[in-house]
Amino acid sequence: MTTKRVHPGVEQMKKSLTEGKCSRREFLRTVTLLGVSATAAYSMAGLPDFISSAHAAQKKGGVLKYGMQVQEMADPGTYSWTQKSIVSRHIIEYLVETGPDNITRPYLAESWEASDDLKTWTFHLRKGIKWSNGDDFNADDVVFNFTRWLDPKTGSSNLGLFDAMLEETGEKDDKGNPVKRMSKNAVQKVDNHTVKLNLNSPVLAIPENLYNYPTGIVHRNFEKEGGDLSKNPVGTGPYTLTEFRVGELAVLKKRKEPYWRGEVYLDEIRIIDLGEDAGAYLAAIASQQVDVIYNLDLTTLEAAKNIPGIKVVEIPSTQTGVIRMKVTEKPFDDIRVRKAVQKTCDAKRQLDIAHQGLGIVAEHHHVAKIHPEYFALPPLEQDLEGAKKLLAEAGYPDGIELSCNVGNTDGVWEQDSVAVLKEDAAKAGINIKMNVMPMAQYWDVWTKAPLSLTSWTHRPLAVMVLGLAYRTGVPWNESSYANPEWDAALTEAESTLDVEQRRVKMEKVEKILQDDAVMVQPFFRSVFTAVRENVVGFEMHPTRYYRFHKVSLA
């Protein structure tokens, strides 16, 4: 449905589309964020809505077996892994949903509207939705979640997404960054099914930010009842959690009550943990021990294509590996050292070797060519002599020894990426020791190490990931980057509705981040998974935000 009030920006976007100043993709994303329904937006763009026809004649019943690591999932607001949310999103749900087409649609919110200046957002919640404990879903639940996310004591990464709802307290954290808290009246209950967000500065991406995986809506008594979803799985979703053992198994069973969004086919979903070995997951799907796997590793990709009864599914994404330097730690507090490391990178060689050329070259600023707000900067070429010169100026004429942490979050490509950088950097006198760590151990120290490769998942807008990863003082700012000029430039880009103007403003955002040499970021990668042919209705999502309530077994 469309909202009662049509934002004036919709007409502006129609004009831009007609005049060829924005692509259809940019048009669709923008007008749906402004509250136009996806169906209406696709119609305006002269396209059919992105609706799968795979759900026709599906059968009820059966148990789907899904191969994925089972991690602790106590507090959805502090999740740092997508895998946790794949289990919990069948129990708790989100205000909005961003689909495989990167278009944002209503979910627990029936509709929304933005003020002309993009500083006031009004969300109209669906009526008649029940929590699994019998309570009505209402505005109190939404207000509770926002208040909790934006309390620094919670430690939620959502602080980075909703910075426009924060104000400075006058205090400093242990790193000297200003401590922020939720502004007065930042979230306001209008009535039982209407919530208003009042921002300090305009932000276009508010709806899309609400489908980030730590923004699942928990019950308003979540903390009073223990603050652990795995032990008290109260939700609005179609399933409830009946068994849960970290590192082993999670079992989701269909609730007896009718689901508010309609038919649910599967009786049960079993998430089976097979460890960290990609080969184990391929063997499991080949032997029908599981029906779908979370990720298809590059080492098993070709083998999977040759197994009868298995479909390999691929989707472009902005998933990436960021070899980031902690700018507050020696030797990376010297920008000359950071620039020297960055100059040794051959991004095309990285992509070809570490990810078999399956992706797109990146430019060390975490904005991809497939992001709608991407601005094309002059290409950065490898410059070994320039790297040597900078090292000498920084006091390392004979080279430098560095150690880089790398985990095995999503396959061997992460280690291969660091290995390629190690080879190239050695030519400039930078000797990198690669410290390969088990996944759990890596994530215990990921924000502390001076140099490490972190795998970042897909976000449909660049401003989302930039706000999460590089804004001053936010929980996921692993590089400890703090540049007020860059923060202000990002805020400007976030607040700009016009696609051309926003792209122009992104030039400054990208250039400052690139020039400050916070990271070596060589490529964005395509992602793959494998699914057995008896699974009907499965759709690949670029962020792997899977929901199996519309999947069935043939």
Side-chain angles (χ1 to χ4, degrees):
M1 63 175 287
T2 55
T3 56
K4 293 179 182 178
R5 174 186 175 275
V6 178
H7 193 281
V10 174
E11 289 301 319
Q12 182 181 332
M13 289 303 299
K14 282 183 183 178
K15 187 172 183 288
S16 294
L17 181 65
T18 302
E19 294 174 353
K21 294 180 179 178
C22 74
S23 68
R24 287 181 174 182
R25 181 182 66 172
E26 292 165 333
F27 172 82
L28 289 168
R29 273 184 169 171
T30 304
V31 299
T32 51
L33 290 177
L34 292 173
V36 175
S37 74
T39 302
Y42 270 98
S43 177
M44 290 176 189
L47 297 169
D49 194 356
F50 184 93
I51 298 176
S52 171
S53 59
H55 307 309
Q58 286 181 272
K59 295 179 180 179
K60 294 182 183 179
V63 178
L64 181 79
K65 294 165 289 184
Y66 183 60
M68 184 187 75
Q69 291 169 338
V70 177
Q71 304 166 341
E72 70 79 25
M73 46 170 266
D75 184 353
T78 62
Y79 283 175
S80 55
W81 284 78
T82 305
Q83 289 94 319
K84 299 178 184 183
S85 75
I86 290 177
V87 181
S88 67
R89 73 180 59 240
H90 293 86
I91 307 164
I92 61 170
E93 301 182 294
Y94 296 74
L95 289 177
V96 305
E97 180 178 30
T98 303
D101 58 351
N102 288 316
I103 300 303
T104 300
R105 296 168 171 82
Y107 197 169
L108 289 175
E110 186 176 44
S111 64
W112 60 84
E113 55 201 53
S115 61
D116 290 3
D117 63 2
L118 301 178
K119 292 175 71 173
T120 304
W121 290 82
T122 304
F123 286 83
H124 304 283
L125 309 180
R126 295 186 192 272
K127 297 176 182 178
I129 297 177
K130 293 278 188 183
W131 290 95
S132 55
N133 66 358
D135 291 342
D136 289 323
F137 165 71
N138 61 35
D140 292 331
D141 297 301
V142 177
V143 171
F144 167 77
N145 278 270
F146 268 99
T147 303
R148 188 168 182 274
W149 297 336
L150 302 184
D151 182 347
K153 294 177 183 176
T154 303
S156 175
S157 63
N158 293 328
L159 282 166
L161 288 179
F162 302 106
D163 183 73
M165 297 173 69
L166 303 175
E167 63 184 10
E168 293 189 8
T169 62
E171 302 172 8
K172 302 277 187 181
D173 63 15
D174 55 2
K175 298 174 184 174
N177 295 318
V179 174
K180 296 182 178 181
R181 66 185 172 202
M182 190 171 73
S183 305
K184 186 178 180 181
N185 295 325
V187 57
Q188 178 185 354
K189 175 183 175 180
V190 178
D191 58 40
N192 278 341
H193 292 90
T194 310
V195 174
K196 188 173 287 187
L197 306 183
N198 300 301
L199 281 55
N200 299 318
S201 58
V203 179
L204 172 63
I206 285 293
E208 205 156 67
N209 289 349
L210 286 166
Y211 200 55
N212 190 44
Y213 62 86
T215 58
I217 301 296
V218 297
H219 189 278
R220 53 192 173 273
N221 292 333
F222 176 75
E223 289 184 339
K224 292 178 183 177
E225 295 178 359
D228 188 333
L229 188 69
S230 64
K231 293 178 180 177
N232 187 31
V234 175
T236 56
Y239 291 88
T240 189
L241 188 69
T242 58
E243 288 184 63
F244 185 75
R245 297 190 295 276
V246 174
E248 295 182 38
L249 180 72
V251 178
L252 296 156
K253 290 195 175 180
K254 184 165 70 171
R255 285 172 54 184
K256 295 178 182 178
E257 309 87 353
Y259 180 44
W260 65 270
R261 286 191 91 176
E263 192 61 75
V264 178
Y265 299 103
L266 297 168
D267 290 335
E268 184 178 306
I269 304 165
R270 297 179 71 85
I271 296 96
I272 301 168
D273 192 323
L274 300 166
E276 298 181 7
D277 181 12
Y281 288 89
L282 184 64
I285 196 168
S287 63
Q288 302 184 40
Q289 182 184 349
V290 298
D291 303 297
V292 189
I293 59 175
Y294 173 74
N295 174 56
L296 191 60
D297 187 274
L298 287 175
T299 60
T300 55
L301 178 60
E302 291 306 314
K305 292 177 180 178
N306 296 317
I307 298 174
I310 289 178
K311 294 183 291 185
V312 172
V313 189
E314 172 186 358
I315 196 166
S317 81
T318 61
Q319 295 205 26
T320 186
V322 174
I323 306 172
R324 62 93 185 130
M325 294 164 274
K326 201 167 186 67
V327 301
T328 54
E329 301 287 331
K330 291 186 178 300
F332 304 114
D333 56 345
D334 189 327
I335 192 172
R336 295 170 296 187
V337 174
R338 302 199 304 269
K339 281 183 173 290
V341 175
Q342 194 181 76
K343 282 179 177 291
T344 67
C345 176
D346 182 334
K348 179 65 165 57
R349 184 170 119 85
Q350 278 264 0
L351 176 61
D352 289 343
I353 295 176
H355 216 259
Q356 300 179 14
L358 301 170
I360 47 179
V361 168
E363 301 163 354
H364 313 304
H365 51 57
H366 215 147
V367 182
K369 293 176 182 177
I370 61 175
H371 278 133
E373 64 269 61
Y374 168 81
F375 184 93
L377 296 177
L380 281 184
E381 303 293 340
Q382 186 186 57
D383 181 7
L384 298 176
E385 290 305 314
K388 291 177 185 177
K389 182 180 178 184
L390 283 169
L391 277 182
E393 291 175 1
Y396 303 98
D398 300 320
I400 191 171
E401 304 280 336
L402 302 174
S403 178
C404 182
N405 287 355
V406 56
N408 53 354
T409 306
D410 222 358
V412 298
W413 68 269
E414 296 161 299
Q415 296 170 36
D416 290 345
S417 181
V418 176
V420 175
L421 181 66
K422 174 184 172 72
E423 288 180 4
D424 288 341
K427 300 169 188 173
I430 302 172
N431 298 309
I432 299 174
K433 176 186 176 184
M434 185 161 53
N435 181 25
V436 180
M437 308 171 74
M439 185 167 61
Q441 185 182 345
Y442 176 85
W443 289 107
D444 278 343
V445 299
W446 75 287
T447 59
K448 302 180 180 71
L451 178 66
S452 63
L453 183 147
T454 298
S455 179
W456 282 84
T457 196
H458 170 89
R459 263 91 187 184
L461 292 177
V463 291
M464 289 177 69
V465 71
L466 295 177
L468 284 166
Y470 308 102
R471 193 169 248 136
T472 299
V474 298
W476 283 1
N477 185 339
E478 55 177 329
S479 61
S480 297
Y481 182 61
N483 184 335
E485 182 186 4
W486 184 85
D487 290 342
L490 178 62
T491 298
E492 275 285 306
E494 285 178 326
S495 67
T496 304
L497 175 60
D498 183 88
V499 174
E500 285 189 302
Q501 291 180 21
R502 186 166 70 246
R503 194 177 293 119
V504 168
K505 290 183 178 181
M506 283 297 292
E507 177 184 15
K508 185 175 183 180
V509 173
E510 295 172 11
K511 191 72 170 66
I512 293 174
L513 201 54
Q514 189 186 73
D515 287 349
D516 283 349
V518 178
M519 72 195 94
V520 173
Q521 192 232 342
F523 57 85
F524 293 92
R525 64 194 195 90
S526 297
V527 293
F528 310 86
T529 196
V531 56
R532 295 202 62 83
E533 290 180 345
N534 66 315
V535 177
V536 180
F538 175 84
E539 293 177 344
M540 185 77 173
H541 194 283
T543 328
R544 298 197 182 100
Y545 285 177
Y546 300 133
R547 296 174 60 247
F548 295 122
H549 76 292
K550 287 298 183 186
V551 168
S552 64
L553 298 173

